[in-house]
Amino acid sequence: MPTVYGVNASPFVRKVRVVLAEKGIPYDVEPVIPVNVSPEYKKISPLGKIPAFRDGDRTLADSSIICAYLERAHPEPSLYPKDPYEYARALWFEEYGDSGLVSVIGAKIFFQKVVGPLFFGHTTDEAVVDKAVNEELPPMLDYLEGELRDGLMFAGARFSIGDIGIGTQFVNLRHAGFGVDAKRWPKLAAHLAAIHARPSFAALIEEEAPQFAQH
């Protein structure tokens, strides 16, 4: 059975698990915390990051690479648009989540409110959180609101890797105790509510919530 290496706190591990669920692929999860990883793990993930993935004797690292592999290995249901432009948009929004949103939601909100206090004994720097929530994140939400052209999906008419890449970051925002103001960003709030209600996301949110509720 395929194995995902990583932990629930990671939006990137969650991204891979959502893709696996959407495609109906059974898998195991082997917990790996990406701090001082073993030499054995670095053979699978040379940068020491999560997730990594094993499928038989094949191993891969990086969530985007793993998801692309799963799409080729299990093409139905497709999570990458067939139209060239919509395909590129899906990849862009996946990247926007991976590199853009995570730099604010992950580093400045989720780490400060959840990971630091729970796992490292750090005190939350509320000034960092307040600036991220009130100054840094809103322009990103404005951008996403404007890119939901039909009010449904980010790339094409169907659920795609772009929606997964964005949606997984907002699960971390939710675990940190924040959400998207539906009055200010109505299309984005409705989009996220629909995405997070899908069985692939909903099951993981339910699995993770007790771990992060104590923050």
Side-chain angles (χ1 to χ4, degrees):
M1 187 177 291
T3 300
V4 177
Y5 298 88
V7 290
N8 282 343
S10 166
F12 306 111
V13 171
R14 189 185 304 112
K15 181 171 69 165
V16 171
R17 295 185 69 188
V18 167
V19 169
L20 287 161
E22 289 285 340
K23 291 182 175 292
I25 304 168
Y27 64 94
D28 291 324
V29 177
E30 185 167 320
V32 173
I33 297 173
V35 178
N36 299 321
V37 298
S38 69
E40 290 75 18
Y41 184 71
K42 280 201 168 185
K43 292 177 183 178
I44 304 174
S45 179
L47 297 177
K49 296 182 179 182
I50 56 172
F53 185 74
R54 182 184 296 278
D55 188 4
D57 59 356
R58 300 169 176 175
T59 60
L60 293 165
D62 186 88
S63 64
S64 296
I65 304 302
I66 297 165
C67 291
Y69 164 78
L70 291 169
E71 177 74 5
R72 288 293 185 94
H74 305 270
E76 295 298 332
S78 177
L79 294 173
Y80 292 72
K82 290 183 171 53
D83 177 81
Y85 180 65
E86 299 301 344
Y87 171 79
R89 276 179 62 85
L91 296 182
W92 161 243
F93 286 107
E94 180 186 14
E95 175 61 21
Y96 191 78
D98 287 358
S99 297
L101 290 174
V102 76
S103 67
V104 177
I105 294 175
K108 299 178 180 180
I109 301 174
F110 185 68
F111 184 87
Q112 284 289 338
K113 295 290 286 186
V114 181
V115 177
L118 280 183
F119 301 108
F120 297 99
H122 294 175
T123 300
T124 299
D125 187 332
E126 295 292 351
V128 170
V129 176
D130 288 345
K131 183 178 180 181
V133 170
N134 296 310
E135 298 179 28
E136 298 176 53
L137 190 57
M140 305 180 90
L141 304 186
D142 290 340
Y143 168 69
L144 292 173
E145 178 78 8
E147 290 298 314
L148 281 167
R149 297 168 298 179
D150 57 6
L152 297 175
M153 303 298 174
F154 280 108
R158 294 176 55 188
F159 181 68
S160 78
I161 191 66
D163 304 302
I164 297 171
I166 297 295
T168 189
Q169 301 295 335
F170 283 94
V171 175
N172 285 62
L173 185 68
R174 175 174 173 165
H175 287 326
F178 297 95
V180 172
D181 185 344
K183 292 183 179 179
R184 186 171 178 183
W185 299 286
K187 289 192 292 185
L188 180 59
H191 170 81
L192 292 171
I195 294 304
H196 291 166
R198 294 176 73 92
S200 57
F201 264 109
L204 295 179
I205 292 169
E206 182 178 1
E207 176 186 319
E208 297 169 12
Q211 181 180 2
F212 302 124
Q214 56 185 302
H215 79 273

